[in-house]
Amino acid sequence: MATAAATCWFTALTSATGPSRYSLTSQRFFATTLRRHSHLIAPNSETNQNAETHAAVNPNRKSRTSKKPLPSSPRISSAQKEAVGQRFPGTSKDEVHFSRADARGSKTGRSQRNQPVAFKSFGLQKKGNKGGNNVFDIKEQQAETGNFQDAAFLNAVVKVYCTHTAPDYSLPWQKQRQYTSTGSAFMIGDGKLLTNAHCVEHDTQVKVKRRGDDTKYVAKVLARGIECDMALLSVESTEFWERAEPLHFGRLPRLQDPVTVVGYPLGGDTISVTKGVVSRIEVTSYAHGSSDLLGIQIDAAINPGNSGGPAFNDQGECVGVAFQVFRSDEVENIGYVIPTTVVSHFLEDYERNGKYTGFPCLGVLLQKLENPALRACLGVPSNEGVLVRRVEPTSDASNVLKEGDVIVSFDGIRVGCEGTVPFRSTERIAFRYLISQKFAGDVAELGIVRAGSFTKLKAVLNPRVHLVPYHIEGGQPSYLIVAGLVFTPLSDPLIEEECEDQIGLKLLTKARYSLAKFKGEQIVILSQVLANEVNIGYEDMSNEQVLKLNGTRIKNIHHLAYLVDSCKDKYLVFEFEDNYLAVLEREAACSASARILKDYGIPAERSPDLSEPYADSLGVNHPVEQHEFGDGPVSNSEFGFEGLLWV
């Protein structure tokens, strides 16, 4: 008999005011252990939604920022439909809903995509839950004990005020209306503060305020670690640092160790303290960064606005940073903090390189070897190892590993048949934990069994190259307008804005399952057509992948701009999926461009990055094959089956 799946979310913990974006796609968690029938959210901060909307440039396109409740997708449950009043639907109908508990806020007027596992933002608390339980009751779980109320290290925790201006990915030449949010941060010395990356995403202004002070000081974002959801801030004012005592990091806690979370969540303006214990330590899905890193699960209350706040042990040492919670009708009091091992990796990465370079990956799809017959067939003599099913073409591992290899050790540490390795004295943890301890450019020694023979190989670890990025570096997306045809790279934020129904199943399949064949590869789409005489007949085209221009395969948006600029033919022939053609007379297209830009109030025909000289990363003599550009999707089983994992 089929059973109804519980609605669960991971939520990011900041609070936002005004329209904003924080819905993350299901593509981001496919490699995680939180699988089917659950919804993940990254926690927000306090939010009060602004009722105003920003104007769309194209009057023929429906508004994506209306304040009325979102039109629900057929796949959104009835309980979710009742909660959809803003861009961050996701709380059950009896929850008190605040627009964003993390610094990203919520965007209104765009339909929510509901996947088997989805990242959504969450409301403040669950009250009137089935059975009469209050899941997150602030009054019951906030602890203002005498010891912590007067503790000096509480003064190192500050409140963060951020103003965000996110790009409009559907209309990439403009920005969305700004919104504000609040979160938490803490001092680490040397004039620096730590907070969550989602607290200061798309920031235009960041201010911080100390406990007991009424002055806000301007802060600068030095680095953002999207994958680990960490951000490093600096404050230049000497007055801000007077009598300031930075926090000290402690060791990784153990199960049942007491933990105290401090920050500035919803429910008041003063500092808040909640207490609990460590419930679990394992590799966890990070909602903001779509990555899998070590995380600490605790039962202390974590609410919107807690994002970026420290978690202390009994000695007053910081053992982690609050960043997300798990919400469900069937569970309660599941919060997550980023452990100091991940925080230290982020800080050391910044110190080494002067910027954040990211967590590396091996770049292989692995299968567990729990079945004895499977191990015997592969020539693995013992109960260990994981099978290499696929190697990412952009990874260094593609030069040394082959499909069918069995990885039995990583830097001398034996890998179990379930893809786990020893962790501390009596525990085991996911294999990818070892990889996350490395830095970009580090070399790992792999022990493998190939055709029944054991050998050792070395591979360089680098950050994963995403065909469809989860975040846009530099903030503003690239675009190119040719006679009213608007081209832009496919990205996860664009999919969010356009919604699944408008993107189409074929393009969504490529976005979720295809692998980049080379660095710099993009899926370039025609996002919309600005109607004009020169493009008559193409006005209804939208969200179609463009494959070729005048017979040449398109590698990325910069390559397309280069092909258009260098074309001397009479016609510009754009080839799309299913052999659909759009042909423009080149001279007529050039002469109409200025008029189209003026009619639609667009400042330029291309984004500034496309004005730079084009450099072919593959070389002019690189052979181009039909299947080479995003045409080889990975099967669903490679992402959805629990015996498989990407590392």
Side-chain angles (χ1 to χ4, degrees):
M1 181 177 63
T3 58
T7 302
C8 312
W9 303 290
F10 265 129
T11 336
L13 305 171
T14 53
S15 60
T17 304
S20 62
R21 181 188 70 81
Y22 196 72
S23 175
L24 305 182
T25 71
S26 59
Q27 176 188 4
R28 304 185 178 185
F29 66 85
F30 279 136
T32 72
T33 57
L34 294 165
R35 301 301 181 197
R36 301 171 179 79
H37 309 306
S38 61
H39 297 274
L40 312 181
I41 320 175
N44 318 343
S45 56
E46 332 171 324
T47 85
N48 294 317
Q49 198 70 322
N50 192 319
E52 297 181 8
T53 62
H54 75 290
V57 169
N58 189 345
N60 294 327
R61 295 174 64 83
K62 67 179 182 180
S63 170
R64 284 182 276 275
T65 55
S66 62
K67 286 306 298 178
K68 61 185 179 181
L70 296 173
S72 56
S73 167
R75 281 175 282 185
I76 296 179
S77 67
S78 59
Q80 287 173 311
K81 290 178 182 177
E82 295 185 36
V84 178
Q86 38 197 326
R87 179 68 180 104
F88 295 107
T91 56
S92 61
K93 61 183 179 181
D94 48 10
E95 278 189 80
V96 179
H97 186 84
F98 290 80
S99 64
R100 267 248 340 150
D102 68 71
R104 307 167 64 96
S106 69
K107 186 79 174 173
T108 61
R110 295 189 176 116
S111 59
Q112 174 66 40
R113 301 188 300 154
N114 185 29
Q115 297 297 329
V117 184
F119 290 96
K120 305 177 182 177
S121 67
F122 78 125
L124 171 61
Q125 55 189 351
K126 278 181 173 285
K127 290 192 175 182
N129 197 26
K130 294 179 180 179
N133 295 326
N134 292 339
V135 176
F136 284 96
D137 193 323
I138 293 179
K139 293 182 179 180
E140 289 181 2
Q141 297 202 29
Q142 284 184 346
E144 281 287 347
T145 65
N147 291 337
F148 273 90
Q149 191 171 16
D150 300 323
F153 55 77
L154 291 186
N155 294 327
V157 185
V158 303
K159 190 169 185 176
V160 178
Y161 301 82
C162 186
T163 302
H164 314 255
T165 307
D168 190 323
Y169 296 93
S170 299
L171 305 171
W173 49 85
Q174 68 182 29
K175 297 275 192 177
Q176 298 181 22
R177 187 176 182 85
Q178 74 177 26
Y179 63 98
T180 61
S181 72
T182 63
S184 305
F186 59 95
M187 304 175 183
I188 60 171
D190 195 26
K192 295 182 176 63
L193 302 164
L194 272 179
T195 187
N196 286 143
H198 70 257
C199 291
V200 292
E201 187 184 29
H202 304 308
D203 67 287
T204 52
Q205 185 184 69
V206 180
K207 295 179 290 185
V208 294
K209 186 174 72 172
R210 290 183 59 175
R211 180 190 183 196
D213 195 354
D214 60 355
T215 303
K216 296 177 183 176
Y217 299 87
V218 175
K220 178 183 178 182
V221 180
L222 299 178
R224 291 184 187 85
I226 299 299
E227 296 151 304
C228 58
D229 200 2
M230 293 301 304
L232 187 64
L233 312 180
S234 68
V235 178
E236 295 182 356
S237 172
T238 56
E239 182 181 354
F240 175 81
W241 297 103
E242 290 179 1
R243 298 180 302 279
E245 291 292 335
L247 298 184
H248 299 283
F249 292 114
R251 63 170 178 82
L252 188 68
R254 295 189 176 273
L255 297 181
Q256 295 187 348
D257 279 359
V259 63
T260 302
V261 177
V262 179
Y264 292 87
L266 283 174
D269 294 326
T270 59
I271 200 165
S272 168
V273 178
T274 58
K275 303 192 72 175
V277 298
V278 174
S279 306
R280 181 182 293 158
I281 300 177
E282 64 180 1
V283 173
T284 302
S285 175
Y286 280 45
H288 178 65
S290 70
S291 56
D292 297 325
L293 299 171
L294 192 66
I296 303 174
Q297 179 184 322
I298 63 174
D299 66 355
I302 296 179
N303 291 293
N306 271 125
S307 276
F312 295 102
N313 59 20
D314 277 352
Q315 289 73 45
E317 298 171 324
C318 176
V319 296
V321 182
F323 76 117
Q324 67 186 25
V325 299
F326 186 71
R327 288 262 180 189
S328 169
D329 290 336
E330 296 183 352
V331 301
E332 58 183 56
N333 294 17
I334 296 182
Y336 291 90
V337 299
I338 303 170
T340 52
T341 52
V342 175
V343 175
S344 298
H345 188 287
F346 166 73
L347 293 175
E348 186 174 347
D349 187 4
Y350 176 76
E351 291 297 326
R352 283 187 180 190
N353 304 289
K355 62 179 181 179
Y356 174 76
T357 60
F359 284 76
C361 72
L362 185 56
V364 293
L365 176 67
L366 302 176
Q367 178 179 342
K368 300 176 183 180
L369 296 183
E370 299 177 86
N371 187 278
L374 177 58
R375 292 195 301 270
C377 178
L378 295 170
V380 181
S382 57
N383 185 22
E384 61 183 6
V386 284
L387 174 65
V388 176
R389 282 206 52 192
R390 189 165 183 177
V391 184
E392 293 184 11
T394 55
S395 69
D396 183 72
S398 64
N399 299 320
V400 294
L401 290 177
K402 299 179 180 180
E403 295 178 3
D405 288 346
V406 177
I407 300 175
V408 295
S409 68
F410 183 91
D411 281 346
I413 300 176
R414 310 301 291 184
V415 179
C417 65
E418 290 188 334
T420 60
V421 295
F423 180 64
R424 300 202 281 202
S425 58
T426 60
E427 303 172 70
R428 296 189 70 84
I429 199 167
F431 168 42
R432 51 186 171 268
Y433 167 73
L434 296 180
I435 301 174
S436 70
Q437 302 305 296
K438 297 283 190 177
F439 290 88
D442 285 355
V443 177
E445 183 182 74
L446 305 174
I448 69 166
V449 174
R450 177 179 293 171
S453 300
F454 177 80
T455 187
K456 289 185 177 181
L457 304 171
K458 291 186 177 181
V460 179
L461 304 178
N462 287 302
R464 175 167 282 116
V465 176
H466 294 284
L467 179 63
V468 178
Y470 300 119
H471 297 265
I472 304 296
E473 294 185 7
Q476 201 68 17
S478 303
Y479 72 90
L480 174 69
I481 301 177
V482 181
L485 277 64
V486 181
F487 298 97
T488 189
L490 185 64
S491 65
D492 199 66
L494 176 60
I495 293 175
E496 279 185 45
E497 290 195 3
E498 289 295 301
C499 307
E500 289 182 352
D501 294 341
Q502 296 185 44
I503 290 293
L505 182 59
K506 181 177 289 188
L507 203 55
L508 281 175
T509 301
K510 286 189 176 183
R512 290 176 182 160
Y513 305 131
S514 295
L515 300 177
K517 302 297 183 183
F518 57 88
K519 292 181 179 179
E521 181 184 6
Q522 294 175 330
I523 295 179
V524 182
I525 66 169
L526 172 65
S527 65
Q528 61 173 306
V529 176
L530 308 176
N532 185 269
E533 296 176 359
V534 73
N535 55 44
I536 287 178
Y538 309 136
E539 302 93 335
D540 295 331
M541 293 183 66
S542 66
N543 298 323
E544 298 284 348
Q545 182 183 4
V546 57
L547 301 176
K548 297 180 182 180
L549 175 61
N550 289 3
T552 302
R553 294 285 296 189
I554 296 169
K555 303 172 184 177
N556 49 50
I557 186 71
H558 208 157
H559 184 220
L560 175 60
Y562 168 78
L563 294 176
V564 171
D565 293 341
S566 59
C567 180
K568 304 299 181 183
D569 297 339
K570 182 178 181 180
Y571 297 103
L572 295 171
V573 181
F574 297 94
E575 298 181 45
F576 298 87
E577 288 278 2
D578 301 322
N579 297 319
Y580 191 91
L581 297 180
V583 180
L584 300 172
E585 188 176 353
R586 183 173 60 84
E587 293 185 357
C590 292
S591 61
S593 292
R595 184 172 65 256
I596 294 174
L597 296 179
K598 181 179 179 181
D599 290 344
Y600 287 89
I602 301 174
E605 67 175 2
R606 64 186 65 190
S607 53
D609 60 307
L610 300 188
S611 299
E612 300 292 330
Y614 172 68
D616 191 347
S617 60
L618 295 179
V620 294
N621 296 321
H622 180 81
V624 177
E625 300 179 6
Q626 176 70 20
H627 66 275
E628 192 168 357
F629 299 93
D631 289 335
V634 179
S635 66
N636 291 350
S637 64
E638 294 186 1
F639 284 89
F641 183 60
E642 293 185 359
L644 302 165
L645 61 153
W646 281 100
V647 297

